[in-house]
Amino acid sequence: MNKEGQSTLSIEKSLIPLPPAERSALLQNPGFGRAFSDHMVTIRYTEGRGWHDGKVEARANLPLDPSTMVLHYAQEIFEGLKAYRLPQGGAALFRPDANARRFRNSAVRLAMAPLPDELFLESVHALVSEDRDWIPEAEGSALYLRPFMVATEAALGVKPASEYLYCVIASPVGSYFKGGAAGVTLWVSENYIRAAPGGTGEAKCGGNYAASLAAQAEAIRQGCDQVVFLDAVERKYVEELGGMNVFFVFEDGSIQTPPLGGTILPGITRDSLIVLARDLGITVREEPYSIDQWRADAASGRLTEAFACGTAAVVTPIGKVKGSSFEATIGDGGAGPVTTKLKAALLDIQNGRAEDRHGWLQRVF
């Protein structure tokens, strides 16, 4: 936005938007990340000139030279956030300022040009406003936004690029995991790690996810839904899932989650749940938790619930955890009362059904 609060992005409306009837049918059951809205945001960066040519335009393919640096050296970062319909009308974004900060931090770690927070916020607001008819209305659905940035300089020298393209695309989504209150099953990876100290674990970059895919495929072969990674140094402490943070609930009502330390993505849903839990009087610890302790606590009953969380998955109960030589069920294998309470508290704020005491919602229209 400029000083007068007006958008600095030009608007070029799509000449071939999806017909309303087709869009309405698609929004009834959008799945996750398969359908996309009519428009996207693009903003370019050139060294010496800064950010320029920002626009909301028709969604289209990106023309890239074969030597474009992102294709060779993986300078790429992204974010994920959602816009929700509000019961009183209109729509709001949930904590986009936190996404803007994390996007900027990811850019610094990948030696990319940091996007100013205000430009990030303007871009997501503008796209939601333009494609407001793409926000689904069904319970549990939302318009998922994917801001991302890639190095676009055409060169083969190994160095930080001098040109970047920032984009935002939007996708109407339903539930990430099917099955409601049924818990997912996790596979403990013994062969792979997600991140190491000094690496890119706390940045939201594509390389972290690419590195997790072999482990995720291994989990699927073992009949599990997701992989859970251990630390790279001692190979004993639980860190996070392939794309989600993890929490543990104990019989005394307290909850625990692995501490941030450079190898774990600082999840915005993770942070929100910590705040909400403390609002509810729940004791929260950010402390290391070993896989051996997980097994022992599940067997003794001290561990009563566990859940994963993230923008896409929201709050998902963990029913079982498996390894090459063990299998453990957490509680009754489903969503326990603490998991259910925290999920409801989060969703009620996101969907405008509860008081937003922390100022997390940013209304778009």
Side-chain angles (χ1 to χ4, degrees):
M1 298 287 182
N2 60 23
K3 292 181 179 180
E4 288 72 39
Q6 297 172 327
S7 176
T8 60
L9 303 176
S10 64
I11 307 293
E12 299 178 6
K13 289 183 177 292
S14 173
L15 298 177
I16 49 171
L18 193 69
E22 292 184 36
R23 183 183 63 235
S24 179
L26 187 152
L27 293 181
Q28 298 305 309
N29 185 23
F32 198 97
R34 295 290 184 178
F36 297 92
S37 68
D38 293 316
H39 296 87
M40 65 182 186
V41 172
T42 59
I43 311 175
R44 295 189 176 276
Y45 176 89
T46 306
E47 191 173 279
R49 183 179 178 186
W51 295 98
H52 59 90
D53 293 340
K55 62 182 70 173
V56 179
E57 59 184 314
R59 187 176 180 275
N61 293 337
L62 301 178
L64 296 176
D65 187 280
S67 66
T68 299
M69 290 180 72
V70 67
L71 303 176
H72 303 272
Y73 308 122
Q75 271 192 300
E76 182 274 347
I77 58 174
F78 69 97
E79 271 300 326
L81 64 160
K82 290 176 177 176
Y84 302 85
R85 286 203 179 275
L86 301 176
Q88 65 271 32
L93 290 157
F94 182 74
R95 300 191 68 181
D97 52 328
N99 292 96
R101 287 193 299 272
R102 189 170 65 182
F103 194 74
R104 174 166 37 84
N105 291 337
S106 294
V108 171
R109 179 61 185 87
L110 272 290
M112 303 174 75
L115 182 77
D117 291 8
E118 58 271 21
L119 199 50
F120 181 101
L121 294 172
E122 180 182 354
S123 70
V124 294
H125 275 258
L127 185 58
V128 173
S129 181
E130 187 63 38
D131 281 348
R132 61 182 64 193
D133 292 337
W134 282 88
I135 306 175
E137 298 182 1
E139 179 68 25
S141 63
L143 184 65
Y144 182 87
L145 303 178
R146 172 54 59 87
F148 65 95
M149 180 163 57
V150 297
T152 52
E153 181 182 356
L156 294 181
V158 181
K159 67 178 185 68
S162 62
E163 298 174 7
Y164 297 94
L165 174 65
Y166 168 75
C167 299
V168 190
I169 56 177
S171 174
V173 298
S175 297
Y176 190 78
F177 287 113
K178 302 299 182 183
V184 297
T185 300
L186 305 184
W187 175 256
V188 180
S189 178
E190 298 176 356
N191 301 316
Y192 304 98
I193 60 169
R194 178 188 172 275
T200 59
E202 65 182 352
K204 198 166 179 66
C205 62
N208 291 342
Y209 295 81
S212 75
L213 295 179
Q216 177 62 24
E218 181 182 62
I220 297 298
R221 289 195 298 272
Q222 296 296 331
C224 300
D225 301 292
Q226 269 282 328
V227 62
V228 59
F229 291 102
L230 304 180
D231 74 287
V233 178
E234 298 185 63
R235 306 297 288 271
K236 63 184 285 188
Y237 292 106
V238 177
E239 293 223 314
E240 65 176 283
L241 278 60
M244 290 166 278
N245 296 118
V246 61
F247 281 81
F248 306 95
V249 183
F250 300 95
E251 60 183 352
D252 64 359
S254 67
I255 66 176
Q256 184 171 330
T257 190
L260 303 178
T263 59
I264 294 175
L265 184 73
I268 293 164
T269 305
R270 173 190 181 276
D271 180 71
S272 302
L273 291 170
I274 290 173
V275 172
L276 292 176
R278 288 173 174 157
D279 286 349
L280 293 169
I282 298 172
T283 298
V284 183
R285 296 183 299 276
E286 296 181 71
E287 297 176 357
Y289 192 60
S290 72
I291 186 60
D292 289 341
Q293 192 65 53
W294 188 350
R295 293 174 60 184
D297 289 345
S300 69
R302 176 174 178 261
L303 179 68
T304 57
E305 306 172 41
F307 60 87
C309 67
T311 298
V314 192
V315 175
T316 299
I318 298 168
K320 292 182 180 180
V321 58
K322 295 170 59 175
S324 60
S325 61
F326 75 93
E327 178 174 333
T329 298
I330 297 92
D332 63 3
V338 175
T339 301
T340 302
K341 180 185 295 186
L342 287 173
K343 181 177 182 178
L346 179 64
L347 288 176
D348 283 348
I349 294 173
Q350 290 175 334
N351 289 279
R353 296 189 295 260
E355 181 185 1
D356 179 20
R357 294 171 51 194
H358 300 285
W360 286 339
L361 290 183
Q362 286 191 15
R363 193 177 184 101
V364 180
F365 60 88

